[in-house]
Amino acid sequence: MSRVVVVGRAALLAPLRPLPLAPVAVPAGFPSPAEGWITDELDLNEHLVKDRTATMFVRVSGDSMEPAGISHGDVLIVDRSLRPVHDDIVIAVLDGELTVKRLWISPRGVTLHADNPRYPDLHVGELSALSIYGVVRTSLHVFTSR
Amino acid sequence: MSSPAGSRRIALVDANSFYASAEKSLDPALADRPVVVLSNGEGAIVAASSEAKALGFETGTAWFKVAGLAARHGVVAKSSAYENYGVISNRMHAIIGQAAAAVEPYSVDEAWAFLGPRSDAVGIGRQLRAALLQNLGIPVSIGIAPTKTLAKLVNKHVAKRVPAHGGVVSLDDAPAGWLDAHLAAHPVTDLWGVAGRTGKKLAALGIHSMRDLRDADTKMIRKRFSIVLERTVLELRGIPCIPPDPLHHTKQQLMFSRTFSEPVTTADRMTQVMSIYAQQASGRLRRQGSVAKTMTVFASTSPFGQQHHSPVATVTFPEPTDNPLLIAKAAIAVLPPRMIPGYRYVRAGVMLTGLQPVAVQPMLDLFEPSPKARELGATLDRITRKAGPGSIGIGLAGLRTAPDWAMKRENLSPRAFTHWDELLTVAAK
């Protein structure tokens, strides 16, 4: 059985740059005792996005990375500033198309691997011959949108 | 060079064919293809990729004149996707800001980066160029020099034109005598900030080349022209003296203007336009946490038509405001009555000026109609964010039917930064 730990409330719709809380004006002149203790709620952007200027959200089409936990329709959080290393899940440019694959780097060369065994691996000569759009940090899988 | 190496350096970072590069950054299939970006409505080329430029396509050309040729060359024409360009521009300036000691945004696709006295300016420039290319997909050219005027010159004349430099060039690396010869060989009107009219006046005084201007008497230049041109003279000598433009530092104005796909000829229609533009502008105000003191609204007929008219009106608010009701009401009150009936207006806009942060306001808003107004604005913004622009509005802007003057936006890229249902797709196959 899985265990669930509640870490707090997440502000799901928080803007990327939350506005600072304005000091509360109290006409009668008595400040609220809570003032000064008000802090921002947990912010998913802060949790999931390391470098805002290099982050793209992209939508998955297909099931070749299903075993990695990436399903058709999921949203991936891609960090374009990361240098890709062996076993990273990356977005590679193949024939002018953005493609999600696992990157395998070995002395024998570079392989773009699909975790789903129904799809073939693609062998590439060298990493420099490959255009990597970014590294996938997170997959967002929505169970219900109601 | 009068400034010794080891003193402060200024880098001009300028995106190459910014809008076309932005389009390429969102679609890898366009990587090596000629791409042009068209203005909305008018259909003129506003940006051409280097491949398109090599085929002879130039910024400013009317699209209908070259559309046939473009089809034969396989040129990809995209509509302007300003939401994407806005985000990419913001990110570009943020990345430059991380690399430099200080940054001064100069335009949507250009910024001055100030580099510390002991820094490896070219090294920083190369890293910055690589980061902008990898993280954003935007190629830039970087010119480095002791002054803004020289950095602009090095950028335009060397970094952009000589591919062997890899897009980053410092004047410090130029061979001895290069600058002097280069200034002598180029007309003064090629300089940043020297207009054609000034060029004619300078020519009458025997000042033709950039070097002539550099060697001119500064007192004479100030007396006959302006302190602005005197600064250019000093900057050509390597003395930095063009101050930051305060307008670019804090956003002191905010503009919302569009060209219509169908001309607007009636006051009713213009009322509808003003209502929507005013709400869009006030939404932007609230997003940047500002209030505006003054609003200017304007419209204009086509410069190519027979009847020309450009009504303009300025309104000063009793108190700085971001209230969409008040802003829309004022825009509607002043502009439509100034139209000439029957004239065909093709463009209109709302400009908010005298901006200040909300917090600077007096605590008690005696002149605001009611505290509810601020909540109304915030509520409108929330709904628009969730359901998309045009989903809700005040008064006439609340019309559900798409007005026929809405922008023509064919072949528009997905708004991948701003709309969840338009994200880029990655194939898992």
Side-chain angles (χ1 to χ4, degrees), chain B residues 13-26 35-37 46-50 53 59 78-93 96 107-111 132 136-141 160 417:
Chain B
V13 185
D14 185 8
N16 303 343
S17 317
F18 178 60
Y19 292 169
S21 297
E23 291 297 338
K24 288 187 175 210
S25 77
L26 291 167
V35 173
V36 296
V37 177
V46 292
S49 72
S50 56
K53 279 177 188 156
T59 302
K78 306 289 288 188
S79 297
S80 305
Y82 288 109
E83 278 128 315
N84 294 339
Y85 308 154
V87 174
I88 293 171
S89 167
N90 287 343
R91 288 183 173 200
M92 180 178 146
H93 286 119
I96 297 169
S107 72
V108 66
D109 58 354
E110 275 177 288
L132 288 166
L136 218 46
I138 298 295
V140 298
S141 300
K160 275 216 193 314
F417 294 99

Side-chain angles (χ1 to χ4, degrees), chain B residues 279 282-283 286 322-326 328 369-384 392-395:
Chain B
Q279 284 174 51
S282 80
R286 286 189 297 280
D322 63 359
N323 177 352
L325 278 176
L326 199 65
S370 81
K372 286 263 184 276
R374 172 140 304 132
E375 291 165 33
L376 170 67
T379 306
L380 283 177
D381 290 345
R382 266 201 304 279
I383 295 173
T384 308
I392 188 168
I394 302 163

Side-chain angles (χ1 to χ4, degrees), chain B residues 338-360:
Chain B
R338 284 178 166 74
M339 294 168 68
I340 301 176
Y343 273 45
R344 297 161 66 81
Y345 296 88
V346 297
R347 192 175 178 81
V350 169
M351 187 167 71
L352 296 164
T353 46
L355 306 194
Q356 49 181 262
V358 176
V360 176

Side-chain angles (χ1 to χ4, degrees), chain A residues 59-74 76 89-92 94 97-104 112-122, chain B residues 426-429:
Chain A
R59 180 87 58 187
V60 176
S61 170
D63 64 354
S64 73
M65 291 299 286
E66 187 76 54
I70 294 176
S71 304
H72 179 75
D74 284 357
L76 301 182
I89 295 176
V90 300
I91 307 296
L94 292 176
E97 193 179 28
L98 298 176
T99 313
V100 56
K101 296 274 187 189
R102 194 179 289 278
L103 180 72
W104 280 349
L112 289 173
H113 171 75
D115 280 14
N116 186 333
R118 288 198 291 112
Y119 294 83
D121 286 354
L122 187 74
Chain B
V426 298
K429 60 179 191 188

Side-chain angles (χ1 to χ4, degrees), chain B residues 163-215:
Chain B
H165 292 293
V168 182
V169 175
S170 170
L171 189 55
D172 294 324
D173 296 335
W178 176 85
L179 180 63
D180 199 60
H182 192 80
L183 293 178
H186 289 85
V188 70
T189 45
D190 256 17
L191 275 176
W192 175 53
V194 180
R197 274 172 293 124
T198 310
K200 276 191 194 127
K201 274 177 76 182
L202 285 168
L205 295 168
I207 298 172
H208 303 281
S209 72
M210 295 178 182
R211 190 171 70 178
D212 294 341
L213 183 65
R214 182 197 66 188
D215 298 339

